[in-house]
């Protein structure tokens, strides 16, 4: 799983069935301090995330199919949680309220 | 899943049986600014995409899972959605080439 920032929205009117009716969000992997750390991906939202949120994203098919409750979905990138805070070596490096 | 632009088509008549009749297309993965992200690659398409289209594609095992039909198609990248809007900040990648 990786930490990411939701940076945009994607609309896909024509897609494979398992993607229809779902929210597609652009997510950018970041370090807890917010430094960009990887390729921009499109994740399927499962918790109601929006642009600007710091979220936890899983990028593996089995987990995605379980979360989305669709055993045949060809999906692997799913947002599964909001991140409230991150602490490293006992020091808080990210807090969503800050 | 990633954003990409379809840049071309590829025909391979002598190909492994699982891929017979599968549409193969050249795609250039892009980031939220529309810049190339990673190298061009060949993906099969589960929808009616064509050169110039902005699309979403999935890689890894989910590429085979996303393809319709029961048989397992040996591919590692599949276009799964046509994108009509991809907004990050004030940029809409779908409008860029409209």
């Amino acid at each position: 799983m990786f930490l990411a920032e939701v940076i945009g929205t994607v609309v896909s009117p024509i897609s494979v069935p398992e993607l229809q009716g779902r929210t597609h969000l652009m997510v950018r992997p970041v370090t807890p301090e917010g430094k960009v750390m990887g390729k921009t991906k499109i994740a399927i939202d499962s918790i109601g995330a929006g642009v600007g949120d710091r979220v936890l994203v899983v990028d593996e098919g089995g987990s995605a199919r379980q979360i989305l409750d669709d055993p045949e979905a060809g999906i692997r990138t799913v947002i599964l949680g909001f991140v409230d805070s991150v602490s490293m070596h006992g020091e808080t490096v990210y807090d969503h309220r800050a | 899943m990633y954003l990409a632009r379809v840049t071309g088509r590829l025909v391979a008549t002598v190909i492994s049986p699982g891929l017979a009749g599968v549409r193969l297309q050249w795609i250039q993965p892009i980031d939220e600014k529309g810049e190339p992200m990673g190298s061009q690659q060949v993906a099969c398409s589960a929808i009616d995409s064509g050169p110039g289209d902005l699309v979403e594609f999935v890689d890894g095992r989910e590429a085979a899972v996303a393809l319709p039909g029961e048989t397992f198609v040996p591919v590692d990248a599949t276009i799964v959605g046509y994108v009509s809007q991809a907004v990050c900040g004030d940029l809409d990648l779908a409008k860029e080439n409209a």
Side-chain angles (χ1 to χ4, degrees):
Chain A
M1 290 186 291
F2 60 90
L3 187 63
E5 202 179 327
V6 180
I7 58 169
T9 57
V10 173
V11 172
S12 172
I14 305 167
S15 69
V16 293
E18 61 259 40
L19 284 178
Q20 283 157 12
R22 297 200 184 273
T23 304
H24 302 212
L25 295 174
M26 251 189 250
V27 291
R28 187 164 43 196
V30 289
T31 62
E33 293 80 11
K35 199 164 73 67
V36 175
M37 184 188 73
K39 290 186 172 184
T40 300
K41 294 185 176 177
I42 305 173
I44 296 301
D45 176 41
S46 76
I47 54 167
V51 174
D53 286 336
R54 189 68 60 90
V55 292
L56 200 56
V57 185
V58 67
D59 196 16
E60 188 273 324
S63 316
R65 282 186 279 281
Q66 184 179 337
I67 294 167
L68 298 175
D69 194 20
D70 180 350
E72 284 148 20
I75 297 173
R76 50 181 290 187
T77 316
V78 171
I79 296 175
L80 50 79
F82 287 107
V83 175
D84 294 339
S85 70
V86 176
S87 61
M88 293 271 208
H89 314 304
E91 191 208 331
T92 299
V93 291
Y94 169 73
D95 189 324
H96 78 284
R97 287 173 301 228
Chain B
M1 222 163 28
Y2 297 99
L3 274 175
R5 281 210 196 284
V6 180
T7 51
R9 289 194 182 86
L10 182 133
V11 175
T13 45
V14 179
I15 198 164
S16 83
L19 279 155
V22 173
R23 271 191 305 270
L24 298 172
Q25 298 184 348
W26 274 102
I27 59 172
Q28 168 60 64
I30 56 174
D31 65 12
E32 70 278 6
K33 300 187 202 65
E35 300 299 329
M37 182 179 79
S39 51
Q40 286 210 39
Q41 54 189 287
V42 180
C44 59
S45 183
I47 59 166
D48 276 340
S49 55
D53 287 347
L54 183 61
V55 294
E56 292 169 327
F57 78 98
V58 64
D59 59 357
R61 186 174 184 282
E62 278 55 53
V65 176
L67 277 171
E70 291 319 311
T71 56
F72 189 81
V73 182
V75 289
D76 66 359
T78 297
I79 294 169
V80 287
Y82 169 80
V83 171
S84 61
Q85 188 186 67
V87 173
C88 174
D90 50 14
L91 174 65
D92 178 354
L93 295 179
K95 289 286 173 297
E96 217 181 291
N97 63 352

